[in-house]
Amino acid sequence: MKRSKRTIRFFNYIPLWAQLFILMTFVFSMMIVVILFNNYSRNRKTILNTEVITSNRLLALEIENLEQYISDLTYFSIQPCYDTKLSQILNSKKALNTWEKSYIKNQMRAYYYSRNDLTAYHMYLIQQGINFGRNQDDQKMSAHIDTSMQASNGFQISTKRNIAILPTSEDDTFLDFYYSIIRIKTRKPIAVINFTVDTTYVKSLIKNHQDNGEFICILNETNDLLYSGNKELIDSKSTTIFEDISKQFSSNYSTIALKDKTFIVTCSVSDLYHLKLLSFTPMTIIDTAINNAFRISLLMGLLVWIFSVLLITAIIRLTTIPLSTLANNLRGVGNGDFTSTVDIGGNREITNLSYDFNYMIQHIDELIKKNYLSEINEKTARLIALEAQLNPHFLYNTLQVISTEALINDQPRIHKMITSLASILRYTIKGGDFVSLQAEMDYVSHYILLQKMRLDDKLTVSIQLDANTLHLLIPKISIQTLVENSIQHAMGNKDNAIHITITSKIKDEYLTIIVDDDGCGIKADYLQTLKEEFSKTLISQGNTGIGLINLNSRLQLLYSNKAKLIINSKEDVYTSITLLIPAIEEVPYV
């Protein structure tokens, strides 16, 4: 009991504001620590997943390019089959004469110089046992009897499976490629093409994997190392490393330690040739990103803590200071000062004590505020009136007046043009990104009318819309952009007459809108440029094609990459642009 009384007496000497300050600061500090710890864990997982997803997507694209490169090598290998004379020589079982050997050398020389990434090129004739070819250091093609060729691993694999992709023993080379040429009738190999390619392709491949110690490795079907981006860590003898990776590899990634460094390993496998493309990303990249994010979180936590301390201080002052303020004002009232007010609060009891004292002053203050608000409302009304004078509807109404004046003065052509222009203006100033197909076509009809007034018989337009599509929503001013593109570019420099057809239909929950014209078409190189710009999904800053490019960018933003803008064209014949968007009746959430 004595100790409890002493404790109570001790707290009696601690001010109330200090007690509240310590308690609330401790609670807020613990909350911030918990939030920072949770945020750190969540950021680590998010950053790691983002890195893995990005790496997997990049590897998926690169494995497609690698498959295409190997396919090109395969096509290059079968070139002798397309040469009738060379094919006859290969199918012959007789000994080769001087002319046949010379012919083979000439053809192989032509094949060798048709590519710039070959370091060696050989053709082994199985039936004759002769090996034709040359290496990079040789000056000419050679032909000699070679019995060791059939004992090579590449020969054995290619004669059984047609293709063999093996590592090389030379520096600055990528892979050895073996391809077996077979006789059609017997389905037996008659020759084996073997060549070695340099690292030209690999150097273009690793440009995306050279930052912060990241590197790639390429393996063949049997996990033989074809290329290593870091031979100090991984070389042809690192077979156990690849076995460990295969054992612990999850659906997305695995981790491995190489010389006291931890790497995140992502992999993509070729379906055609079973090549494996592995990316090794140092964990330090993830740790750096996580640490940077944690520093930001720590800074934000510190700012929140400082703000919390200030807030706690303010709350404590709201709780304790009113008591002193009320006492001081009561002394002033006792001295006859009725002009001051008690501006205190924080709890109901103190507020009730001060309410009667402040009633008169508060009432006067309310009257002042009412008068002030009246003045503000008056100024606001004047400002609204001024803005109304500058509203675009003023211009629209003016056009309507001019249109009426043209009609009164027997100028129907001018009346029709101004009416269409006014409708276009009203449509463009109307808010929203989406409109119905019917509303868009009404707008396009006014636009076409103005263009026909300018072009006369040089422009004819056919509209064939499915009635079931008229209520569907489309991006505003999208069809007009396609029609404008046809009018501007289809005539060319000769101002030829063109016919434009606009059609719409629904297929597989997608709305398809096609704008065709029989104009001058698009040149092949410019068409390719447009398609490349489409793939960037960026707002164009150029001077040509910006309408189509920007429309494509709008589609990707509005539909989250679920829409397409497809261009088909043949120079001097036609141009067809297809707008493919989801068939919706409500504005999508993006």
Side-chain angles (χ1 to χ4, degrees):
M1 292 295 294
K2 292 183 179 180
R3 288 185 179 181
S4 61
K5 289 182 178 179
R6 290 178 181 178
T7 303
I8 294 174
R9 290 177 181 177
F10 173 77
F11 281 108
N12 289 337
Y13 291 103
I14 299 178
L16 177 61
W17 67 266
Q19 296 180 18
L20 294 176
F21 180 83
I22 294 173
L23 177 62
M24 297 180 69
T25 301
F26 175 77
V27 172
F28 273 91
S29 298
M30 293 302 298
M31 291 175 59
I32 292 173
V33 170
V34 172
I35 292 173
L36 285 176
F37 178 78
N38 182 61
N39 192 44
Y40 176 83
S41 301
R42 185 172 62 253
N43 283 344
R44 183 179 181 84
K45 183 177 180 180
T46 300
I47 293 173
L48 181 59
N49 289 338
T50 302
E51 179 68 26
V52 170
I53 291 172
T54 302
S55 181
N56 281 330
R57 288 178 178 175
L58 180 60
L59 290 182
L61 295 175
E62 291 174 341
I63 203 69
E64 291 180 4
N65 293 333
L66 182 58
E67 286 182 346
Q68 182 61 47
Y69 180 71
I70 300 300
S71 298
D72 292 341
L73 296 181
T74 303
Y75 178 77
F76 174 73
S77 301
I78 64 176
Q79 282 186 324
C81 299
Y82 296 108
D83 189 305
T84 304
K85 293 181 180 180
L86 185 54
S87 180
Q88 291 175 352
I89 295 173
L90 295 179
N91 283 279
S92 175
K93 297 182 179 180
K94 298 179 180 180
L96 302 182
N97 56 38
T98 303
W99 179 88
E100 291 173 334
K101 292 181 179 179
S102 177
Y103 185 80
I104 292 176
K105 290 180 181 180
N106 291 334
Q107 293 303 106
M108 290 188 64
R109 185 180 297 108
Y111 299 152
Y112 179 81
Y113 286 109
S114 66
R115 296 184 66 95
N116 58 4
D117 59 347
L118 299 182
T119 61
Y121 181 54
H122 298 274
M123 178 190 294
Y124 178 72
L125 279 59
I126 299 176
Q127 298 176 131
Q128 291 80 10
I130 301 177
N131 191 356
F132 292 86
R134 62 166 291 179
N135 295 325
Q136 193 173 32
D137 297 332
D138 297 336
Q139 298 298 321
K140 59 181 180 179
M141 288 287 174
S142 63
H144 58 277
I145 302 298
D146 186 2
T147 58
S148 62
M149 180 67 174
Q150 296 189 10
S152 66
N153 189 28
F155 180 89
Q156 298 295 329
I157 297 175
S158 62
T159 53
K160 292 180 181 179
R161 303 179 61 178
N162 197 236
I163 292 177
I165 303 174
L166 299 176
T168 68
S169 58
E170 301 177 5
D171 295 333
D172 201 26
T173 56
F174 179 23
L175 55 82
D176 275 341
F177 191 86
Y178 292 82
Y179 185 84
S180 175
I181 299 177
I182 63 173
R183 179 176 291 160
I184 303 300
K185 293 182 180 180
T186 62
R187 307 298 296 176
K188 293 184 178 181
I190 57 176
V192 173
I193 304 295
N194 167 233
F195 52 84
T196 303
V197 296
D198 60 23
T199 57
T200 301
Y201 171 76
V202 179
K203 289 178 180 178
S204 66
L205 188 66
I206 64 176
K207 290 181 179 179
N208 297 324
H209 302 274
Q210 293 181 331
D211 297 333
N212 302 316
E214 181 183 2
F215 66 95
I216 64 171
C217 289
I218 302 176
L219 312 178
N220 65 4
E221 183 177 4
T222 57
N223 287 337
D224 296 324
L225 181 64
L226 300 178
Y227 173 82
S228 173
N230 191 331
K231 293 184 179 180
E232 294 181 358
L233 297 178
I234 295 180
D235 54 22
S236 58
K237 300 179 182 179
S238 306
T239 55
T240 57
I241 293 178
F242 301 127
E243 292 176 358
D244 294 340
I245 293 175
S246 300
K247 290 179 181 179
Q248 65 168 316
F249 207 90
S250 65
S251 58
N252 293 321
Y253 72 98
S254 66
T255 58
I256 190 170
L258 300 174
K259 292 185 178 180
D260 299 329
K261 292 183 180 180
T262 303
F263 290 84
I264 298 173
V265 185
T266 54
C267 178
S268 184
V269 181
S270 167
D271 295 331
L272 293 177
Y273 304 103
H274 307 290
L275 300 178
K276 299 180 182 67
L277 181 59
L278 284 74
S279 173
F280 291 78
T281 304
M283 184 62 77
T284 54
I285 297 178
I286 307 299
D287 293 337
T288 300
I290 293 172
N291 291 335
N292 291 336
F294 180 73
R295 290 190 188 97
I296 295 175
S297 298
L298 187 61
L299 178 60
M300 294 298 296
L302 181 60
L303 294 177
V304 171
W305 186 85
I306 293 174
F307 175 79
S308 300
V309 171
L310 295 177
L311 181 62
I312 291 171
T313 303
I315 293 174
I316 293 174
R317 287 177 62 84
L318 290 175
T319 306
T320 59
I321 292 180
L323 297 175
S324 299
T325 304
L326 180 60
N328 292 331
N329 280 272
L330 288 174
R331 295 189 191 97
V333 171
N335 296 326
D337 184 6
F338 296 97
T339 59
S340 62
T341 60
V342 181
D343 189 11
I344 60 176
N347 55 69
R348 184 178 62 183
E349 289 76 10
I350 297 177
T351 303
N352 290 335
L353 288 175
S354 62
Y355 178 78
D356 292 335
F357 179 83
N358 295 330
Y359 176 77
M360 183 180 298
I361 302 300
Q362 289 178 355
H363 183 67
I364 296 174
D365 185 58
E366 289 176 0
L367 293 177
I368 294 175
K369 288 181 178 179
K370 288 181 180 179
N371 293 333
Y372 178 72
L373 289 175
S374 298
E375 183 179 353
I376 291 296
N377 290 333
E378 181 180 358
K379 291 182 178 179
T380 302
R382 293 178 182 177
L383 181 59
I384 294 175
L386 180 60
E387 290 178 347
Q389 297 176 9
L390 301 176
N391 197 294
H393 289 285
F394 172 75
L395 180 57
Y396 167 73
N397 294 331
T398 303
L399 290 175
Q400 291 290 75
V401 173
I402 297 174
S403 173
T404 304
E405 188 69 20
L407 189 62
I408 294 174
N409 288 274
D410 196 20
Q411 294 291 335
R413 182 182 178 89
I414 296 177
H415 167 73
K416 186 179 295 185
M417 293 175 65
I418 294 177
T419 301
S420 297
L421 180 60
S423 298
I424 289 176
L425 176 62
R426 180 172 57 184
Y427 184 82
T428 55
I429 65 177
K430 183 171 61 176
D433 290 324
F434 293 89
V435 295
S436 67
L437 176 59
Q438 180 65 63
E440 176 73 5
M441 288 309 302
D442 292 341
Y443 167 67
V444 172
S445 298
H446 290 299
Y447 174 78
I448 293 173
L449 175 63
L450 292 177
Q451 292 294 346
K452 289 179 67 67
M453 293 289 185
R454 180 173 64 90
L455 301 174
D456 294 328
D457 296 334
K458 292 182 180 180
L459 173 64
T460 56
V461 180
S462 299
I463 300 176
Q464 303 170 5
L465 303 179
D466 187 342
N468 294 327
T469 64
L470 297 178
H471 67 287
L472 299 178
L473 296 183
I474 66 171
K476 184 178 178 182
I477 316 182
S478 54
I479 300 180
Q480 185 271 341
T481 301
L482 303 182
V483 174
E484 181 180 10
N485 180 78
S486 295
I487 295 175
Q488 289 183 351
H489 300 290
M491 289 185 174
N493 297 325
K494 298 181 180 180
D495 291 338
N496 297 326
I498 61 168
H499 178 76
I500 299 176
T501 302
I502 305 173
T503 59
S504 69
K505 60 182 178 180
I506 297 179
K507 184 178 180 181
D508 298 332
E509 299 182 354
Y510 273 83
L511 171 61
T512 302
I513 301 172
I514 304 175
V515 178
D516 297 324
D517 67 71
D518 57 358
C520 62
I522 303 175
K523 294 182 179 180
D525 55 347
Y526 182 64
L527 181 61
Q528 182 63 27
T529 300
L530 278 178
K531 292 181 179 179
E532 291 176 357
E533 291 293 331
F534 282 1
S535 64
K536 297 177 182 178
T537 64
L538 298 174
I539 298 299
S540 174
Q541 301 296 329
N543 296 321
T544 59
I546 61 174
L548 294 179
I549 296 172
N550 290 347
L551 175 59
N552 180 71
S553 299
R554 285 183 61 208
L555 293 175
Q556 306 315 314
L557 294 174
L558 292 174
Y559 294 99
S560 299
N561 297 320
K562 295 180 181 179
K564 293 183 180 179
L565 191 62
I566 305 171
I567 302 181
N568 293 309
S569 181
K570 186 174 182 181
E571 192 171 356
D572 297 327
V573 179
Y574 77 96
T575 297
S576 177
I577 304 180
T578 301
L579 178 62
L580 187 65
I581 60 177
I584 57 175
E585 299 181 12
E586 296 181 358
V587 176
Y589 175 78
V590 179

